[in-house]
């Protein structure tokens, strides 16, 4: 199954010399990296983007609960990439005077598969694709200079 393939791709780099880190260590390192980033950038807040806030973020929160890890991120700091894409597409279609069809939301961005020939449903590929789509939509929204007030 695709799930087994994804697990295998992550574990394929596990070796005696360079073992995979325990999940609690990886999460603590992620939070430490976020705090370092905030300090370096002089930011008070950061947002975690996910491919659906009902899965990735829920898994992260569950790991924190199980291992007693305090998250430095309030619940208001998560964003759903797909919601952004659909809402941005709606704004773009409306600004152009065209009717919005949610099934066409991704038609206004270049498919990441055309840029990177990585394996579909690989976690790293999916992350890169989400970033690429979000970046494209942000640029398209910026070009519209919408007066939303």
């Amino acid at each position: 199954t695709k799930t087994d393939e994804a697990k295998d791709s992550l574990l394929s780099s596990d070796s005696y010399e360079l073992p995979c880190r325990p999940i609690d260590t990886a999460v603590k390192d992620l939070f430490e990296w976020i705090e370092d980033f905030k300090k370096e950038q002089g930011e008070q807040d950061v947002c975690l983007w996910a491919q659906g806030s009902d899965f990735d973020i829920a898994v992260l929160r569950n790991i924190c609960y199980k291992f007693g890890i305090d998250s430095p991120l309030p619940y208001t700091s998560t964003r759903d990439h797909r919601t952004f894409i659909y809402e941005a597409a709606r704004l773009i279609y409306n600004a152009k005077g065209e009717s919005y069809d949610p099934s066409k939301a991704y038609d206004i961005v270049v498919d990441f598969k055309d840029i990177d020939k990585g394996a579909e449903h690989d976690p790293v590929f999916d992350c890169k694709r989400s970033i690429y789509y979000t970046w494209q939509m942000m640029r398209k929204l910026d070009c519209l200079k919408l007066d939303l007030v």
Side-chain angles (χ1 to χ4, degrees), residues 63-125:
I63 291 167
C64 289
Y65 173 77
K66 284 188 173 191
F67 288 96
I69 301 170
D70 291 327
S71 171
L73 303 165
Y75 73 93
T76 56
S77 68
T78 59
R79 303 289 185 270
D80 179 358
H81 155 78
R82 289 178 293 192
T83 299
F84 172 77
I85 294 296
Y86 287 117
E87 291 304 312
R90 183 181 57 78
L91 290 170
I92 292 166
Y93 278 104
N94 288 346
K96 293 179 176 183
E98 300 174 14
S99 64
Y100 172 62
D101 176 359
S103 70
K104 306 270 189 233
Y106 284 86
D107 290 353
I108 61 177
V109 293
V110 175
D111 193 332
F112 188 67
K113 288 182 242 170
D114 296 340
I115 305 301
D116 184 340
K117 306 298 183 195
E120 283 188 65
H121 301 294
D122 172 89
V124 174
F125 178 85

Side-chain angles (χ1 to χ4, degrees), residues 10-86:
L10 290 174
L11 295 175
S12 66
S13 64
D14 190 26
S15 68
Y16 182 76
E17 297 80 26
L18 187 62
C20 289
R21 291 150 98 161
I23 191 69
D24 59 323
T25 302
V27 169
K28 288 175 187 173
D29 288 349
L30 169 66
F31 290 158
E32 184 178 315
W33 177 82
I34 289 170
E35 290 302 314
D36 289 346
F37 177 82
K38 286 168 44 177
K39 286 177 191 165
E40 287 174 13
Q41 299 300 314
E43 294 292 331
Q44 295 292 323
D45 301 308
V46 296
C47 291
L48 285 183
W49 287 75
Q51 183 77 356
S53 58
D54 58 342
F55 182 75
D56 298 326
I57 301 304
V59 169
L60 180 61
R61 290 190 191 286
N62 188 48
I63 291 167
C64 289
Y65 173 77
K66 284 188 173 191
F67 288 96
I69 301 170
D70 291 327
S71 171
L73 303 165
Y75 73 93
T76 56
S77 68
T78 59
R79 303 289 185 270
D80 179 358
H81 155 78
R82 289 178 293 192
T83 299
F84 172 77
I85 294 296
Y86 287 117

